[in-house]
Amino acid sequence: MSETFEDALAERLSTVLGASCVFTGVERLTGGASRETWSLTTKSDPAVPPELILRRDPPGREDPTRMSMEAAAFVEAGRAGVPVPEILDSSGTEPLPGIGSYLVMSRLPGEALPQRLLRDERFGSVRPRLPYDLGRALARLHRMDPVAVPGLPDYDPMEFLFGEYTRTGDPLPALEAAFSWLRDNRPTATRKSVVHGDFRNGNILVDEDGIRGVLDWELAHVGDPMEDLGWLCTKTWRFGSPHPVGGFGSRDDLFRGYAEECGVTPDPDAVRWWEVFGSLRWAVICRVQAMRAGEDGDNTLELLAIGRRVAECEHDLLDLLGVPVSATGDVAQAGDDRADELFGTPRIGELLRAVQDFVVDASAGADPRTVYRSRVAAHVLGMAARESEVGYAAREELRARLAALGYRTESELALGLRAGDVTLGDTPVGCVIRDLAETRLRVANPRY
């Protein structure tokens, strides 16, 4: 953050709060692929909280209408009894000179990092209660008044998602199969409400006493409230835990908390439909983020890495749709890349892993953001090394298996699924689609 920006923001807050605001610490926090999040500490009049959080759009990509909507959503959520930070200031519907499009809120105590929430001993006593408490928080959230949140979008989520999918890359068979299943099995929404849109582990502040805040309302919209429950249960947000509700516990506890708070018992089949939708939605979001990489020099590496996470979603979707793991065994075997005969040794995988180790070692002791970005870089180098070792053999084998089905490319197979020429239930088709997805996953994230 530039000194000019800090000065402009301090002056703005001094005016809004009616008290002198002087920053003694300004630190950009890690995470957040679409917006910047900053921690601000102040040495000010007692009327100014000593710790604040700033969220702003990256310069040049301001969306003041959405930022204004998010600020209003925080305020209305608090009125409805949802624990949220207090909004102290926001830019309104126009970016402010020298500052841009932003909102400033109080900093609440608590932890949002999923890995800590799921593994640290200090959260051991609160974890079993969280599914029930999250159900109650969602029930209160769904009582929010949409009229009190100007600019709240209202759209058909399936149509919107398919539009995003078609504009962000080639068709993929597993994703086409998921769209088909969702269209054929869509439940009828029994009511509409405010939907948070990103209610999940990672956007919930928790301490030893329970939920302290629900964060990141930028994707709020009007829709089926069961969408929030399904998104919370999507496998991506379990972070390796076997428990379906954010990695914390059971759906039964989530549903019980929801029903006891508002009198509406969630339909498990409807929530499962939204879980499938959630895995597909995350796959499309990964494609969107990768497409944005060239527009955001600061986050380019992270956005590109997110693009490869589509493989995780393919795996999850095929599990949800009941496609068995192929009996053909591993498609790609390390060491099959014939390019080694031309370039000799050391192999490209060895070179990339050596650079990967160097990046990790070189970042030791650096500031948190540099450490985070170095880990992303090391992860990308690991992907490149694995792809170099299996890429040629996998491409050749899968191309031959596609040809046996009558398709030249994976995209052609995907379009065949869209047209209904083949189905996921055809065993040879299902096996090829599963192996395509699993091969990508072994390269992108073999520990998944």
Side-chain angles (χ1 to χ4, degrees):
M1 186 185 298
S2 69
E3 186 174 344
T4 301
F5 178 87
E6 290 183 37
D7 293 341
L9 183 61
E11 182 178 352
R12 163 75 178 185
L13 290 177
S14 296
T15 300
V16 170
L17 301 176
S20 175
C21 178
V22 178
F23 297 130
T24 58
V26 177
E27 179 186 0
R28 184 171 178 184
L29 303 179
T30 59
S34 60
R35 282 189 176 159
E36 299 176 1
T37 303
W38 295 79
S39 171
L40 311 173
T41 55
T42 66
K43 179 182 179 181
S44 311
D45 186 285
V48 181
E51 295 186 58
L52 303 171
I53 294 293
L54 165 75
R55 277 169 62 76
R56 73 161 179 166
D57 290 325
R61 292 216 319 276
E62 290 88 354
D63 188 348
T65 300
R66 184 180 288 270
M67 188 69 78
S68 177
M69 180 277 291
E70 182 174 2
F74 270 109
V75 173
E76 172 60 13
R79 187 205 61 78
V82 182
V84 288
E86 178 187 3
I87 298 298
L88 301 176
D89 186 34
S90 66
S91 52
T93 56
E94 295 290 339
L96 295 186
I99 307 177
S101 179
Y102 72 95
L103 59 84
V104 176
M105 67 187 83
S106 60
R107 180 165 192 159
L108 296 177
E111 177 62 67
L113 191 67
Q115 291 80 355
R116 291 179 185 165
L117 292 176
L118 292 170
R119 295 174 178 85
D120 281 12
E121 290 183 7
R122 67 190 179 103
F123 302 111
S125 62
V126 76
R127 274 193 291 267
R129 305 201 313 264
L130 285 176
Y132 175 84
D133 290 345
L134 289 166
R136 295 194 66 182
L138 277 170
R140 291 193 291 271
L141 189 159
H142 295 151
R143 287 200 295 260
M144 291 169 59
D145 181 4
V147 177
V149 188
L152 203 62
D154 186 355
Y155 54 84
D156 182 275
M158 277 288 289
E159 290 184 10
F160 177 81
L161 192 67
F162 188 72
E164 292 289 276
Y165 164 67
T166 55
R167 79 174 181 86
T168 53
D170 294 331
L172 286 174
L175 306 193
E176 290 287 344
F179 273 113
S180 178
W181 185 90
L182 288 166
R183 292 190 187 100
D184 291 344
N185 294 277
R186 188 170 186 174
T188 301
T190 57
R191 60 196 174 106
K192 295 186 78 172
S193 73
V194 173
V195 173
H196 180 279
D198 203 10
F199 191 96
R200 60 175 175 83
N201 192 354
N203 283 338
I204 311 293
L205 271 176
V206 175
D207 66 10
E208 293 87 343
D209 295 323
I211 301 169
R212 299 303 299 266
V214 178
L215 309 177
D216 292 9
W217 291 72
E218 63 183 288
L219 298 179
H221 58 278
V222 175
D224 184 342
M226 294 302 100
E227 179 182 345
D228 276 334
L229 279 75
W231 186 243
L232 174 61
C233 296
T234 299
K235 185 181 175 184
T236 298
W237 313 124
R238 302 173 196 172
F239 296 91
S241 168
H243 303 298
V245 182
F248 301 122
S250 72
R251 295 180 184 86
D252 287 344
D253 285 343
L254 173 71
F255 297 167
R256 181 168 58 87
Y258 193 90
E260 289 183 9
E261 178 66 31
C262 70
V264 176
T265 300
D267 177 358
D269 290 337
V271 174
R272 183 182 183 277
W273 188 92
W274 283 109
E275 277 190 52
V276 177
F277 179 89
S279 285
L280 180 58
R281 178 188 171 204
W282 177 236
V284 175
I285 290 173
C286 290
R287 285 161 62 113
V288 171
Q289 299 291 54
M291 187 173 166
R292 281 186 47 229
E295 306 168 7
D296 190 342
D298 195 34
N299 280 340
T300 294
L301 189 60
E302 181 180 5
L303 294 173
L304 290 172
I306 288 173
R308 285 294 183 99
R309 295 194 63 183
V310 172
E312 299 170 10
C313 305
E314 292 180 275
H315 170 88
D316 294 344
L317 286 166
L318 292 171
D319 280 352
L320 287 165
L321 298 180
V323 179
V325 175
S326 172
T328 58
D330 288 346
V331 171
Q333 301 293 331
D336 285 344
D337 194 335
R338 298 177 193 175
D340 290 330
E341 298 175 4
L342 174 61
F343 297 110
T345 57
R347 301 166 72 127
I348 186 64
E350 294 177 82
L351 293 171
L352 290 168
R353 286 194 168 87
V355 178
Q356 182 183 30
D357 292 341
F358 171 79
V359 167
V360 173
D361 292 342
S363 67
D367 63 274
R369 179 160 173 77
T370 298
V371 170
Y372 172 75
R373 297 178 75 183
S374 297
R375 288 175 181 166
V376 174
H379 173 63
V380 170
L381 287 165
M383 277 195 289
R386 290 187 292 273
E387 183 171 333
S388 75
E389 293 166 347
V390 304
Y392 180 87
R395 280 190 293 271
E396 291 302 303
E397 179 177 342
L398 289 168
R399 187 177 290 121
R401 291 177 62 189
L402 284 167
L405 296 175
Y407 296 98
R408 293 174 300 170
T409 65
E410 187 176 1
S411 293
E412 283 190 359
L413 173 58
L415 293 175
L417 284 162
R418 187 185 301 180
D421 298 334
V422 291
T423 70
L424 202 59
D426 298 335
T427 299
V429 173
C431 285
V432 169
I433 293 173
R434 173 64 87 167
D435 284 344
L436 286 163
E438 297 298 328
T439 300
R440 277 193 284 274
L441 184 59
R442 279 194 294 274
V443 167
N445 186 0
R447 294 184 298 178
Y448 190 76

